[in-house]
Amino acid sequence: MNKEEDSLLEYLFLDNALRQENESFIQSLIELNKFAQNISATLNFQLLLDLIIDLTIKIMKVEKAFLMLYSENTSDLWLKSAINLESETEDLEAFNIIFSKKILPLVKEQISIVNNQVKLIELKTFKNLIISTLAQKDKIIGYICVVNKKVGVFDDKDKYFLETIAKQSSIAINNSYVYEKLRTESDV
């Protein structure tokens, strides 16, 4: 092969790689759109939280995911929905403490990727994680966390997708909460 043929092959290889990456990104955007449609159609609070976690696992291609919310009356943070956290949550109180004291200090901004510092968490099944705040107006109401990306480590694209999921989830959680509150008040 000559230099021109090598350059052409290299170009074709890069073109194919970029095309595949773009197709994957477009597919993820389609999944995010479906995610928003599905969660906005659900008003039952616990069903909504479980749906958020189920769809998040599929979109983010991770082994584990969980959602924690602050208690309405106290500043306690509680695990509300999770997939594949059975061994970590056998002692739910201990998990809440580990999350509050070991994971939250690693969160430096609205959304944080934690690939290197996971060994500090003391949860042996966590290899890497990404966490995003759930917020309503300027108030943090909880966190959504995905753990152990199936292929590779988390990157900025994953950060973008989880941030989008968190924003959509916050809106749906607020809508469900308002619906439940109105329904409770009308029953009285």
Side-chain angles (χ1 to χ4, degrees):
M1 273 196 210
N2 63 31
K3 202 168 193 165
E4 262 181 41
E5 289 173 333
D6 283 345
S7 293
L8 181 59
L9 282 175
E10 186 178 329
Y11 170 79
L12 291 173
F13 177 76
L14 288 173
D15 183 56
N16 187 44
L18 285 172
R19 186 172 291 127
Q20 287 177 347
E21 188 176 321
N22 285 340
E23 287 173 6
S24 173
F25 186 75
I26 289 168
Q27 184 59 40
S28 294
L29 290 174
I30 290 168
E31 289 175 12
L32 278 175
N33 189 349
K34 288 179 186 174
F35 172 85
Q37 291 172 355
N38 285 330
I39 66 169
S40 65
T42 306
L43 291 173
N44 176 286
F45 194 68
Q46 189 57 51
L47 186 65
L48 171 66
L49 300 180
D50 294 342
L51 182 63
I52 289 169
I53 292 303
D54 183 52
L55 294 173
T56 299
I57 282 232
K58 291 173 183 160
I59 292 170
M60 299 292 298
K61 296 171 183 68
V62 295
E63 294 175 6
K64 307 168 187 269
F66 60 93
L67 189 148
M68 298 186 81
L69 295 174
Y70 284 104
S71 168
E72 213 179 313
N73 304 328
T74 67
S75 61
D76 295 335
L77 196 57
W78 294 101
L79 181 68
K80 292 295 187 176
S81 185
I83 292 181
N84 296 331
L85 278 185
E86 293 80 16
S87 62
E88 291 87 352
T89 57
E90 286 173 358
D91 182 352
L92 196 53
E93 190 173 327
F95 180 81
N96 287 338
I97 290 169
I98 288 172
F99 184 85
S100 297
K101 300 217 183 300
K102 299 281 184 174
I103 296 176
L104 280 184
L106 301 175
V107 178
K108 304 294 184 217
E109 33 187 90
Q110 183 178 354
I111 183 164
S112 296
I113 297 175
V114 183
N115 286 324
N116 308 357
Q117 302 139 306
V118 174
K119 56 186 164 277
L120 305 174
I121 297 173
E122 298 173 13
L123 293 170
K124 308 256 183 278
T125 62
F126 282 32
K127 293 180 225 140
N128 53 39
L129 64 94
I130 185 170
I131 185 169
S132 182
T133 57
L134 296 167
Q136 292 174 356
K137 299 183 182 162
D138 290 335
K139 180 182 175 190
I140 294 175
I141 60 165
Y143 299 89
I144 186 166
C145 187
V146 292
V147 181
N148 299 346
K149 186 171 179 177
K150 289 182 180 177
V151 177
V153 294
F154 294 111
D155 57 24
D156 286 338
K157 187 172 76 168
D158 297 310
K159 195 174 175 179
Y160 168 78
F161 286 129
L162 189 61
E163 186 175 26
T164 303
I165 287 168
K167 287 177 181 177
Q168 292 293 323
S169 297
S170 295
I171 293 166
I173 288 168
N174 186 55
N175 290 346
S176 177
Y177 174 75
V178 169
Y179 172 78
E180 292 281 335
K181 192 172 182 178
L182 290 171
R183 199 179 87 201
T184 303
E185 289 172 1
S186 71
D187 288 346
V188 175

